[in-house]
């Protein structure tokens, strides 16, 4: 019996959607496959047709987020970012992170997967390195890692505080921090 690819993908996505709903309340390791399968509307054996275990599902869900990010970045910058301004790049990154929404912040939150930030950082690195417009040599990855971690921290804090300041203020703050540095905010 051959399964139809659209139905197969829809079933896989249904499991992932059910996972996100449960992940809001429990870390991945506490999600029971039987309960997840029931929430998705399938039996347990169907789960195992798509995933080896809950962590396989988690990693596939993370890969889906990263692909959404990459596709969104390609749409915003089809010709790369070399000619784009800091502000347009940061604005696009904030929009992309906002597009990923709750799922992103669940993954990087308290119950999240620490390895996810490293996966995402590797996807964002080329943007951050191109933004400087200069060759940072052996320091390039250090500077990009610092920039990424700081931006993620600010975006996470903004999300946790229910976006208590506007998107425009977040973009302005990030642009200022990345272009002027921490101690020159007022300069």
């Amino acid at each position: 019996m051959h399964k139809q690819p659209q139905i197969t993908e829809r079933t896989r996505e249904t499991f992932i959607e059910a996972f996100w709903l449960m992940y809001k309340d429990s870390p991945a390791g506490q999600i029971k496959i039987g309960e997840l399968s029931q929430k998705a509307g399938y039996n347990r054996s169907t789960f195992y047709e798509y995933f080896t275990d809950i962590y396989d599902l988690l990693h596939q869900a993370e890969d889906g987020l990263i692909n959404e990010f990459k596709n969104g970045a390609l749409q915003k910058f089809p010709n790369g970012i070399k000619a784009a301004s800091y502000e347009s790049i940061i604005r696009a990154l904030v929009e992309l992170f906002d597009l990923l929404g709750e799922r992103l912040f669940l993954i990087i939150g308290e119950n999240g997967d620490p390895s996810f930030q490293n996966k995402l950082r590797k996807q964002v690195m080329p943007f951050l390195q191109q933004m400087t417009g200069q060759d940072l040599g052996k320091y390039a990855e250090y500077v990009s890692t610092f920039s990424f971690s700081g931006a993620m921290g600010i975006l996470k804090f903004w999300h946790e505080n229910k976006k208590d300041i506007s998107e425009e203020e977040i973009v302005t703050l990030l642009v200022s921090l990345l272009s002027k540095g921490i101690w020159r905010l007022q300069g």
Side-chain angles (χ1 to χ4, degrees):
M1 175 169 99
H2 297 285
K3 293 186 179 187
Q4 296 175 347
Q6 292 111 345
I7 293 173
T8 299
E9 184 58 25
R10 196 173 322 129
T11 302
R12 188 176 126 347
E13 286 299 319
T14 301
F15 274 108
I16 291 173
E17 288 171 24
F19 170 79
W20 286 121
L21 291 172
M22 295 179 77
Y23 196 53
K24 286 180 184 179
D25 300 319
S26 304
Q30 293 179 5
I31 295 174
K32 306 279 187 250
I33 292 171
E35 292 172 15
L36 175 68
S37 298
Q38 184 177 11
K39 188 168 209 65
Y42 294 96
N43 61 43
R44 190 180 170 92
S45 63
T46 304
F47 174 90
Y48 289 108
E49 290 179 32
Y50 296 88
F51 312 100
T52 55
D53 58 22
I54 202 72
Y55 293 104
D56 180 36
L57 187 153
L58 171 65
H59 294 298
Q60 287 188 42
E62 290 173 346
D63 291 345
L65 280 178
I66 289 171
N67 285 333
E68 282 182 58
F69 176 84
K70 285 175 20 182
N71 291 336
L74 288 173
Q75 287 176 356
K76 290 186 180 293
F77 302 105
N79 300 317
I81 64 168
K82 288 195 184 272
S85 69
Y86 265 15
E87 185 175 340
S88 65
I89 295 166
I90 295 299
R91 184 175 311 287
L93 289 174
V94 168
E95 289 170 4
L96 287 169
F97 280 68
D98 203 35
L99 176 71
L100 300 178
E102 188 69 27
R103 296 169 299 157
L104 172 68
F105 295 104
L106 285 170
I107 289 285
I108 66 172
E110 189 176 307
N111 292 330
D113 178 7
S115 69
F116 176 76
Q117 282 197 43
N118 287 330
K119 285 187 207 177
L120 185 58
R121 181 179 52 81
K122 288 177 184 173
Q123 299 301 319
V124 175
M125 282 295 220
F127 288 102
L128 296 173
Q129 289 173 342
Q130 287 179 24
M131 278 176 60
T132 65
Q134 55 186 302
D135 181 13
L136 298 173
K138 66 181 180 181
Y139 302 117
E141 287 203 38
Y142 289 97
V143 171
S144 298
T145 298
F146 178 81
S147 300
F148 175 79
S149 297
M152 284 296 292
I154 286 173
L155 292 172
K156 182 177 177 223
F157 187 76
W158 182 51
H159 181 78
E160 288 168 350
N161 284 293
K162 299 181 181 9
K163 299 181 183 176
D164 58 343
I165 61 176
S166 71
E167 184 174 304
E168 188 62 35
E169 289 173 293
I170 281 294
V171 169
T172 301
L173 177 62
L174 286 169
V175 168
S176 180
L177 287 169
L178 290 171
S179 63
K180 297 177 185 174
I182 296 171
W183 307 115
R184 293 188 186 177
L185 273 176
Q186 302 301 318

